[in-house]
Amino acid sequence: MNDRYQTLTSLPAVLRGGDYNPDQWLDRPDILEQDIRLMHEAGVNTATLGVFSWTAYERADGEYDFAWLKERMDALYAAGICTELATPSGAKPNWLAKANPEIRRVQVDGRRDKQGRRHNHCYSSPVYRRKVAQLLERLCDAVGDHPGLIAWHLSNELGGACHCPLCAERFRTWLRRRYHNDIDEVNKAWWTGFWSHIYTDFDQIDPPFDNGEQSVNGLLLDWRRFTTWNAADYLDTEIEVLRRRTPNIPLTTNFMSYYPGFDYHVLAQKLDFVSWDAYPQWGEPGHDDTDVAIRTAFEHALIRGCKPGRPFLLMECTPSLVNWHAYNKLKRPGVNRLAGLQAVACGADGVQYFQWRAGRGGVEQFHGAVVGHDGRSDHRVFRDVTALNEDLGRLAGVCGSYTQAGAALLFDWDSRWALEDAWGFQKQDKKLRECAVRLYAGLNRHGVDVEVLGPEAGWETYPLVVLPMLYLTKPGFAQRLDAYVRSGGVAVATYMLGYVGPTTLAHLGGFPGEGLKDLFGVTAREIDTLYPQDQNAAIWGDGANTPIVDYCELLELADDTEVLARYADDFYEGTPAVTRRAVGRGAAYYIGARLDAVGDERVLCRALRDAGLPDELLPDGIEYHCRRNGTERWHFYLNTAEKPRRVRLPAGVEALTGRPVGGEEELSALGAAVVREGR
Ligand code: GLA
Ligand code: ZN
């Protein structure tokens, strides 16, 4: 772990706080004073300042005022509260946008935004970059050496893409570099002979406007890669100033869970630690909160895995409700606590809220906040937050430790994008996330925590690796996977493995391409997409029958491939649906159809045994996570069910209560136990 991250972990505490906008209350010193008092009462130890404060810092071009910020940071620090300082580039001042139309984003329909809202500037604009850099220099002059400053929060929820002429030109320049200035290399990579879309000059290439080029998959994928690159390049403008001026302060930015817009594996490389904003829809009709919980756990793992080996920060969540769902339901009693503990269980070193205090106006006036418009501390939400903060206070020792995963799950943004943009299969929603969450959940039910990694990361250290719908594969991957399995690794892949290469061209010679079919001993000759009302079934070796929906691949097997299940129905009745092939000291499983949880379970159970991992199931609704620090392990058992559950705990000390435990215990509905073992 580098020194900068230690600035943060040297605070011997889980970070507890949230977005705080004192600049909206500067005419109310009584409220500012009340904030400090209430933060103290709630056990807050950090505040995120300045997220949207650009105009409060710079009301007119070059006229800066950081006095209010310094005063607030001083007052917070005096009360034992540190500051994560945002760079305010997430929203631009009116005066700047009026004077410089180029900084306003051009949307996918080709229209330039009017000024308003937020997160809608052009990442390419030299004016924007220059103005941000100038501001950051002055911000560093003002508070760069403030003792309360513990982290920089870069911009806020970076997102979206600009399609302006500047961005289009940068896209072409990026393509020229990538394709050695050779337009025919582009034509080959993108298969542009299709529909006569051959380019004869780079100048003919435009971003994929929604009424423009939408039929060249390679272009769509490269545009998404460029968009990530351009946002990262923009971030460099901020990073250059902050690294130079405050070399010891760690940098992060808040990611947005399963956000499609950027490759977070790439953006994370710019950061000292990652953080994200979690807004799961608890209590959504038709969805069990156990499912919501495990999907959130997967997302924690997805973000954590962007910076393997390092804890992350839950930058935002709501203490009660949001304002942007169609129906804004309150978090029921107990949910906030469980969700906060879950974040820490999954590797977070902090749980912070949007927002500390509700503003009086603007569209977020009725968004949940720790302190509401009544300014009181004797209501449910404030008390819930305070109680969770007390719990988090008891988990201080967990800071700096990392998830101890038993298995890896491979997730790749390029592959996701290529799959989502592909025409075919279920055209609108291929359900990659569901597929990944299902496998993640299946492993978790066995008490196996899962690390979500990109295919380029070091997944070989895990005895088991799962590959949900890894549709796009890059050169060298198959050889790595092959070597891994031969030396004892266990791989579990699903349908749609290795259909296309890095520029979305279909692999020739059968799927999965690139040697993967030899490893799995499987060739997917065809894929049948089922209508939502249709079902097939898998018939297993022991005669059991489990449902299949959505996808059925028609598989051809190598001689030494074992059939685990066959199709029950349709013209491919009796042909293989799920297989296993013993390879070297390991095994390669192939799931050719979308099974239900019971079907997945049958595969995972055997794969876990092959990998030497536990194959015993936890009680329904119990989620398990583990963090490790040297010889010390922190086992988290979360009861996401609405009923009490009995669970067998390892021997150790239950950290929330200080009790020695070991053996069976009952966890109340939405209850949790955190067992510290081996101190
Ligand atoms: C996002 C933003 C916050 C706020 C919340 C509301 O996460 O970062 O500024 O708008 O959503 O839920
Ligand atoms: Zn632009």
Side-chain angles (χ1 to χ4, degrees):
M1 213 166 287
N2 78 2
D3 298 334
R4 277 190 295 269
Y5 187 72
Q6 287 195 350
T7 314
L8 204 69
T9 51
S10 63
L11 296 172
V14 177
L15 298 182
R16 313 182 287 268
D19 279 24
Y20 177 41
N21 304 307
D23 40 320
Q24 294 170 16
W25 299 92
L26 293 177
D27 59 348
R28 289 294 302 269
D30 56 321
I31 295 233
L32 297 178
E33 188 261 320
Q34 187 191 58
D35 281 329
I36 305 263
R37 199 161 22 85
L38 291 178
M39 283 185 191
H40 186 72
E41 193 178 330
V44 161
N45 60 15
T46 179
T48 302
L49 265 73
V51 179
F52 297 113
S53 299
W54 191 336
T55 320
Y57 295 143
E58 190 181 7
R59 279 184 78 89
D61 201 352
E63 289 175 25
Y64 297 104
D65 171 16
F66 300 102
W68 66 265
L69 173 70
K70 175 137 189 339
E71 224 172 79
R72 283 304 94 208
M73 285 177 70
D74 286 346
L76 289 165
Y77 192 59
I81 300 161
C82 293
T83 296
E84 288 155 38
L85 191 54
T87 64
S89 50
K92 48 192 163 22
N94 290 326
W95 61 260
L96 186 65
K98 288 284 177 188
N100 301 281
E102 73 157 65
I103 72 172
R104 289 189 265 123
R105 189 171 287 182
V106 171
Q107 298 296 345
V108 64
D109 61 3
R111 294 201 309 172
R112 196 177 285 279
D113 284 343
K114 304 275 187 248
Q115 165 61 356
R117 296 171 295 157
R118 60 174 181 174
H119 301 156
N120 55 0
H121 47 281
C122 167
Y123 289 126
S124 304
S125 160
V127 175
Y128 200 72
R129 291 181 177 208
R130 190 174 63 246
K131 286 305 297 174
V132 170
Q134 281 168 0
L135 177 85
L136 295 191
E137 293 279 1
R138 305 299 298 264
L139 193 56
C140 288
D141 289 342
V143 295
D145 59 357
H146 197 287
L149 177 62
I150 54 163
W152 286 108
H153 164 163
L154 301 175
S155 207
N156 186 68
E157 292 195 338
L158 292 167
C162 176
H163 300 68
C164 78
L166 267 174
C167 288
E169 192 47 39
R170 282 169 73 79
F171 179 43
R172 289 186 279 267
T173 305
W174 181 87
L175 288 170
R176 281 197 170 93
R177 261 201 313 273
R178 189 175 178 87
Y179 293 100
H180 314 96
N181 214 9
D182 177 355
I183 194 63
D184 278 327
E185 214 184 295
V186 176
N187 285 316
K188 269 205 183 116
W190 294 356
W191 202 255
T192 54
F194 172 73
W195 289 352
S196 189
H197 288 204
I198 293 168
Y199 295 98
T200 53
D201 194 298
F202 278 90
D203 290 340
Q204 297 156 9
I205 302 176
D206 279 327
F209 289 106
D210 61 5
N211 63 349
E213 186 57 276
Q214 289 286 330
S215 44
V216 175
N217 305 52
L219 167 82
L220 300 179
L221 179 57
D222 274 340
W223 169 253
R224 289 178 183 271
R225 288 178 172 137
F226 162 77
T227 301
T228 297
W229 174 84
N230 203 33
D233 187 69
Y234 163 77
L235 270 187
D236 276 340
T237 307
E238 299 201 3
I239 291 171
E240 189 282 319
V241 179
L242 302 179
R243 284 267 190 260
R244 178 164 44 75
R245 300 294 309 277
T246 58
N248 298 321
I249 304 295
L251 307 179
T252 191
T253 188
N254 46 349
F255 291 163
M256 297 176 279
S257 68
Y258 197 66
Y259 175 67
F262 296 137
D263 182 339
Y264 282 154
H265 288 144
V266 173
L267 285 192
Q269 287 167 22
K270 301 279 175 193
L271 310 172
D272 294 308
F273 65 99
V274 289
S275 54
W276 77 288
D277 302 341
Y279 292 100
Q281 245 171 306
W282 300 102
E284 198 186 347
H287 291 264
D288 201 316
D289 272 354
T290 291
D291 297 339
V292 177
I294 200 72
R295 196 164 63 215
T296 309
F298 167 77
E299 287 171 7
H300 282 308
L302 176 71
I303 302 294
R304 181 186 70 224
C306 294
K307 203 88 195 158
R310 194 155 302 185
F312 65 93
L313 183 62
L314 180 59
M315 183 69 86
E316 295 178 20
C317 62
T318 176
S320 53
L321 43 63
V322 298
N323 63 330
W324 44 266
H325 287 156
Y327 301 90
N328 295 292
K329 203 173 170 62
L330 288 172
K331 274 180 167 173
R332 311 332 265 178
V335 170
N336 189 56
R337 175 174 186 265
L338 190 73
L341 291 174
Q342 182 195 42
V344 176
C346 291
D349 272 1
V351 175
Q352 305 184 159
Y353 298 98
F354 180 86
Q355 51 192 332
W356 166 253
R357 179 187 282 275
R360 295 190 68 184
V363 292
E364 288 184 335
Q365 63 188 151
F366 297 116
H367 191 290
V370 181
V371 179
H373 296 116
D374 61 5
R376 292 170 61 153
S377 59
D378 61 351
H379 67 72
R380 182 183 77 94
V381 174
F382 190 94
R383 281 203 309 260
D384 277 4
V385 167
T386 306
L388 172 61
N389 283 347
E390 281 165 12
D391 279 334
L392 297 178
R394 298 182 186 108
L395 300 181
V398 85
C399 288
S401 67
Y402 195 68
T403 294
Q404 182 174 345
L409 182 152
L410 301 192
F411 184 91
D412 182 46
W413 262 269
D414 282 343
S415 181
R416 167 194 181 170
W417 287 333
L419 181 64
E420 285 174 355
D421 287 342
W423 287 31
F425 322 116
Q426 282 185 10
K427 188 160 175 285
Q428 295 311 329
D429 184 5
K430 319 297 195 285
K431 300 194 192 150
L432 164 64
R433 175 168 27 182
E434 284 82 340
C435 178
V437 171
R438 179 78 70 66
L439 291 173
Y440 176 93
L443 291 168
N444 196 285
R445 292 196 60 213
H446 289 269
V448 174
D449 217 344
V450 180
E451 183 75 327
V452 178
L453 293 171
E456 278 93 33
W459 41 265
E460 281 100 333
T461 52
Y462 297 93
L464 174 65
V465 53
V466 297
L467 299 81
M469 298 173 86
L470 194 65
Y471 169 78
L472 176 152
T473 50
K474 294 173 196 165
F477 176 74
Q479 288 84 332
R480 265 181 77 187
L481 194 66
D482 190 85
Y484 165 77
V485 175
R486 273 175 207 291
S487 61
V490 178
V492 178
T494 78
Y495 42 90
M496 290 195 211
L497 171 68
Y499 278 26
V500 304
T503 67
T504 74
L505 296 186
H507 285 307
L508 296 180
F511 306 144
E514 265 217 307
L516 289 170
K517 66 179 143 322
D518 297 330
L519 171 60
F520 288 90
V522 154
T523 307
R525 298 295 297 267
E526 295 184 76
I527 181 163
D528 195 16
T529 301
L530 308 188
Y531 284 99
Q533 62 273 26
D534 288 349
Q535 270 205 4
N536 202 318
I539 303 192
W540 300 81
D542 60 2
N545 184 308
T546 64
I548 285 174
V549 294
D550 297 338
Y551 297 120
C552 300
E553 277 182 342
L554 280 55
L555 305 178
E556 190 178 275
L557 305 194
D559 291 342
D560 58 353
T561 307
E562 183 188 346
V563 178
L564 301 186
R566 295 181 184 275
Y567 291 110
D569 209 352
D570 220 319
F571 70 90
Y572 39 91
E573 175 187 339
T575 69
V578 183
T579 65
R580 174 183 183 274
R581 181 164 178 259
V583 186
R585 291 193 280 129
Y589 289 80
Y590 195 82
I591 304 177
R594 182 164 285 157
L595 307 171
D596 72 344
V598 179
D600 280 344
E601 171 55 28
R602 289 182 153 253
V603 183
L604 290 178
C605 210
R606 179 141 177 220
L608 285 163
R609 257 181 280 140
D610 281 345
L613 290 163
D615 65 351
E616 201 183 310
L617 282 176
L618 292 172
D620 271 355
I622 296 291
E623 205 178 289
Y624 170 77
H625 301 284
C626 183
R627 292 178 69 165
R628 184 184 196 128
N629 226 350
T631 57
E632 188 174 79
R633 287 199 290 172
W634 296 72
H635 305 273
F636 291 77
Y637 294 85
L638 310 169
N639 182 7
T640 67
E642 281 167 16
K643 293 204 180 74
R645 290 272 188 267
R646 294 197 70 76
V647 56
R648 191 147 36 82
L649 301 178
V653 175
E654 203 288 314
L656 299 172
T657 55
R659 280 179 310 124
V661 290
E664 274 226 351
E665 296 238 352
E666 181 168 287
L667 290 188
S668 59
L670 306 180
V674 184
V675 183
R676 182 180 195 165
E677 183 204 16
R679 198 173 178 182

